[in-house]
Amino acid sequence: MTTLNEQPAVTPTASRFSVQGLSKRFGNLVVADDIHIDLTPGARMALIGPNGAGKSTFVNLVTGLLTPSSGRIVLDGEDITTMSASRRVRNGLVRSFQVTRLFRELTVADNIRLAVLQERQQYMRLFSGLANTPGLDEEVQRILNELNIRDRASSLVHNLAYGEQRLVEIALVLALKPKVLLLDEPAAGVPDSESDLILEAVGNLPKDLAVLLIEHDMDLVFSFAEQIAVLVNGAVMATGTPQEIAHNETVRNIYLGKGH
Ligand SMILES: Nc1ncnc2c1ncn2[C@@H]1O[C@H](COP(=O)(O)OP(=O)(O)O)[C@@H](O)[C@H]1O
Ligand SMILES: [Mg+2]
């Protein structure tokens, strides 16, 4: 058996993010079972699977909230398997959360401004005036544009529709300058009438960003993804294009039902 150090380095251009043989056991329960996933720059992959399949566990493993039992996680050629969760974020591996963590009494622009400042670790600037921070407004505008919410910049978050609030959450994540973005159910709780907003926003994410979407909304999954991985009992039981997955008999039986 080789040690971690003897394994060949991964070239950054070939793979931005690579999960190699990742496993996690809780006693006898295997919740992640030899998972291999590769994201190239600009990848649009969806991870789907029934409840309890291990999707959240997978995100917790790769972001450093849980320690894997075995396997390797590589970001831009660097082994990050034992790196702290906060350093992974600084290195560009960023997740969005299902729970809302917006300042509801502030405007959309101020929420984003705070996130950009946090990324720059310039909390002290808050006390010397937000307007004096070089490039801050440009950065906030860039993010507002990326998510097509410029016309909401001056709105208080609590006045926004729920779907729009989810967009602002994605905006906060973009402020962290991700290279790899793990979107954890961005459409959860969003009414059907607003789900197009989310669809459009994830469709317009920066082209070179590698995105892994975890989502139950199959319309969103199938319109967004170029690749879909199906997780069942902690193991990837199929990977393929949306077409391949939609026509995979086993996947249909286990997961998709008659809809696709
Ligand atoms: N800390 C834990 N200890 C024991 N079992 C856990 C723990 N976290 C998750 N599990 C189990 O792992 C399995 C996968 O859960 P989860 O990752 O939440 O699935 P999903 O997000 O796909 O619905 C479930 O059987 C769950 O009960
Ligand atoms: Mg989950």
Side-chain angles (χ1 to χ4, degrees):
M1 205 175 130
T2 55
T3 67
L4 289 182
N5 290 340
E6 286 163 340
Q7 294 186 15
V10 176
T11 33
T13 46
S15 174
R16 172 133 285 173
F17 179 63
S18 171
V19 172
Q20 303 165 0
L22 197 70
S23 295
K24 176 69 178 176
R25 286 174 291 277
F26 292 111
N28 286 333
L29 182 68
V30 180
V31 290
D33 185 4
D34 193 27
I35 298 175
H36 291 258
I37 278 182
D38 262 292
L39 299 181
T40 51
R44 297 287 184 262
M45 185 184 276
L47 180 66
I48 65 173
N51 277 336
K55 303 182 296 295
S56 296
T57 302
F58 174 78
V59 173
N60 290 338
L61 285 168
V62 299
T63 53
L65 296 184
L66 279 176
T67 308
S69 306
S70 57
R72 222 176 156 223
I73 306 160
V74 179
L75 177 66
D76 264 340
E78 185 181 2
D79 190 321
I80 62 162
T81 313
T82 59
M83 189 180 275
S84 74
S86 57
R87 267 200 64 202
R88 290 181 208 212
V89 173
R90 283 203 297 280
N91 283 12
L93 178 63
V94 178
R95 80 186 289 177
S96 69
F97 283 92
Q98 285 172 248
V99 287
T100 184
R101 61 198 174 100
L102 302 172
F103 295 105
R104 297 175 53 77
E105 304 302 322
L106 294 183
T107 65
V108 169
D110 281 343
N111 267 275
I112 298 172
R113 214 165 266 144
L114 285 169
V116 173
L117 286 169
Q118 188 181 349
E119 198 276 329
R120 297 180 182 183
Q121 298 182 320
Q122 289 179 337
Y123 297 99
M124 295 312 289
R125 297 265 181 176
L126 286 177
F127 303 102
S128 58
L130 291 177
N132 295 333
T133 309
L136 178 60
D137 283 337
E138 289 79 359
E139 180 82 1
V140 172
Q141 287 303 321
R142 185 182 61 75
I143 294 168
L144 286 167
N145 284 336
E146 266 173 11
L147 291 173
N148 204 13
I149 49 174
R150 211 177 26 212
D151 59 340
R152 288 285 182 263
S154 314
S155 305
L156 297 179
V157 164
H158 73 79
N159 287 335
L160 298 181
Y162 188 68
E164 292 176 322
Q165 295 187 19
R166 301 306 308 253
L167 293 191
V168 182
E169 286 176 6
I170 297 175
L172 298 197
V173 169
L174 290 181
L176 299 176
K177 298 217 173 75
K179 293 176 187 168
V180 177
L181 181 57
L182 309 171
L183 284 176
D184 195 356
E185 297 197 29
V190 175
D192 283 351
S193 58
E194 295 168 27
S195 62
D196 278 357
L197 283 175
I198 310 289
L199 209 139
E200 196 188 320
V202 298
N204 288 333
L205 286 169
K207 293 280 174 283
D208 57 340
L209 184 61
V211 186
L212 182 70
L213 171 74
I214 294 169
E215 185 52 63
H216 284 294
D217 182 332
M218 285 300 129
D219 290 336
L220 183 50
V221 165
F222 277 83
S223 73
F224 162 84
E226 287 162 6
Q227 287 284 308
I228 297 177
V230 185
L231 200 65
V232 178
N233 294 330
V236 177
M237 56 88 52
T239 309
T241 63
Q243 273 230 320
E244 287 164 347
I245 294 300
H247 293 108
N248 181 309
E249 270 310 309
T250 323
V251 175
R252 288 165 71 104
N253 290 339
I254 289 179
Y255 184 63
L256 292 173
K258 298 183 210 96
H260 285 277

